[in-house]
Amino acid sequence: MRHLLGTEGLDVDTATAVLDTADELKRTLLGREVRKLPTLRGRTVVTLFYENSTRTRVSFEIAGKWMSADVVNVSASSSSVGKGESLRDTALTLAAAGADCVVVRHPASGAAHRLACWLEDNGTSVVNAGDGTHEHPTQALLDAATLRERLGGLTGRRVAIVGDVLHSRVARSNVHLLTTLGAEVVLVAPPTLLPVGVGEWPVTVSHQLDAELPAVDAVMMLRVQAERMHGGFFPSAREYSISYGLSQARQRLLPEHAVVLHPGPMLRGMEIASSVADAASAAITEQVRNGVHVRMAVLYHLLAGDNTADAADAATAQRAHGGEA
Ligand code: ASP
């Protein structure tokens, strides 16, 4: 894998390999006092964020550090971007300074692809950490890791993705990845929050949340992306919540084994009731935890050269020597 720009077109073998590596890394690090592997020693990862982030930025930083990479964080507000520098010049500067991988978040859909084109000759890998309303591939991978763990597999499982599909890069990446991995997806949203052309996606569409819940294995609630909305997409937050919020009463419609997911940040009380977010069926903190292992796996697949031992082998060898990197 040279870049990770999206889950569209990511083949089943590559996606499964990343998920398997993430599982292996999770098992390897479980219960260890010092969570540090030598795998990416000497590699430099730069996170370049033009939009706010808590989970994604922090977990990429932790992922890189747990694999001994040098991690540098650049936020647009405190860099030369604030002086008017273009994305291209910023990217070329980071590559010239020695970045082996740039993890980028940008409000424009397609920004990660552009960056990858500009860095084609530099050998720098690009990871899309969210581009506008387009894709957020590592979120979808960590969601798949969480569902595999909770449900034992994805083949034939039915997943409802609920809410602001129109503005959600999480929804797009999940539709591609979940269907590639053999799951069925139903999108549940008001007509105003569904994209044009959704009929051509490999999903079913519903406007009735109550009718869908009894038949799903997982429900993924989406945040209402107010920052991307220009105009009225629904009458009021209260009405949205009444029709599309996962209330305690609605939670009772779910099968007992069903998993509740949310990519965060959550708007408690609007798209999900607090009691539902904190219930045992919710895997929201597990998603965050798995996000670190999935991002470690992605960095491993992008940056570990042919001469580097398998991620788990490296960890095993290290254990055998009784040491930490
Ligand atoms: N954190 C996710 C994203 O960056 C979901 C969200 O913000 O609603 O797309």
Side-chain angles (χ1 to χ4, degrees):
M1 202 162 55
R2 170 74 207 281
H3 305 291
L4 179 63
L5 303 177
T7 55
E8 184 173 11
L10 194 67
D11 62 79
V12 68
D13 291 344
T14 309
T16 307
V18 171
L19 295 173
D20 290 346
T21 305
D23 285 352
E24 189 61 39
L25 287 162
K26 185 173 182 173
R27 269 195 300 277
T28 300
L29 292 173
L30 199 76
R32 292 180 69 159
E33 221 169 273
V34 180
R35 287 167 292 192
K36 200 88 166 158
L37 306 174
T39 322
L40 296 183
R41 193 153 42 197
R43 302 293 184 149
T44 302
V45 175
V46 178
T47 67
L48 173 62
F49 276 56
Y50 288 76
E51 272 188 1
N52 294 347
S53 172
T54 304
R55 279 153 287 271
T56 307
R57 203 199 59 70
V58 167
S59 59
F60 264 112
E61 181 171 358
I62 291 174
K65 288 183 170 167
W66 282 4
M67 299 195 96
S68 303
D70 296 306
V71 183
V72 179
N73 298 310
V74 180
S75 79
S77 55
S78 60
S79 66
S80 288
V81 170
K83 298 179 183 173
E85 188 167 56
S86 69
L87 178 61
R88 181 173 182 274
D89 286 337
T90 305
L92 293 175
T93 301
L94 298 176
D100 295 300
C101 177
V102 176
V103 177
V104 64
R105 170 169 290 188
H106 198 280
S109 299
H113 280 84
R114 292 299 295 147
L115 210 99
C117 293
W118 292 322
L119 295 180
E120 205 46 55
D121 298 336
N122 295 64
T124 307
S125 292
V126 175
V127 179
N128 182 3
D131 61 328
T133 60
H134 179 225
E135 281 237 33
H136 191 353
T138 56
Q139 177 69 47
L141 284 162
L142 75 87
D143 293 336
T146 308
L147 290 174
R148 276 194 351 166
E149 201 171 68
R150 282 272 187 126
L151 300 172
L154 279 162
T155 314
R157 297 298 194 168
R158 189 168 170 82
V159 182
I161 302 182
V162 182
D164 184 3
V165 177
L166 177 64
H167 300 105
S168 177
R169 51 201 180 200
V170 173
R172 272 174 192 69
S173 287
N174 264 294
V175 166
H176 294 307
L177 186 64
L178 288 172
T179 52
T180 296
L181 295 175
E184 279 173 48
V185 176
V186 54
L187 300 177
V188 188
T192 49
L193 289 177
L194 285 166
V196 174
V198 73
E200 279 138 49
W201 293 16
V203 298
T204 49
V205 172
S206 165
H207 309 304
Q208 302 297 333
L209 183 53
D210 291 354
E212 299 300 329
L213 291 177
V216 299
D217 299 291
V219 57
M220 182 181 296
M221 304 307 295
L222 300 172
R223 181 175 66 88
V224 172
Q225 311 255 312
E227 75 275 25
R228 299 187 211 282
M229 289 186 181
H230 309 287
F233 288 84
F234 46 85
S236 67
R238 192 175 137 68
E239 283 199 42
Y240 177 89
S241 185
I242 288 170
S243 300
Y244 295 100
L246 191 59
S247 61
Q248 212 169 345
R250 284 211 168 100
Q251 187 191 21
R252 286 195 279 273
L253 298 175
L254 286 165
E256 211 169 315
H257 70 275
V259 189
V260 174
L261 302 175
H262 194 301
M266 280 184 281
L267 301 179
R268 285 174 184 258
M270 183 167 174
E271 64 242 1
I272 189 163
S274 251
S275 57
V276 179
D278 297 332
S281 56
I284 298 165
T285 46
E286 274 161 63
Q287 287 174 271
V288 177
R289 219 170 282 130
N290 288 334
V292 176
H293 304 117
V294 160
R295 286 166 180 135
M296 288 175 83
V298 167
L299 294 176
Y300 169 76
H301 282 271
L302 290 172
L303 297 180
D306 291 343
N307 297 331
T308 310
D310 189 66
D313 287 351
T316 310
Q318 189 193 335
R319 260 202 314 272
H321 288 94
E324 309 294 344

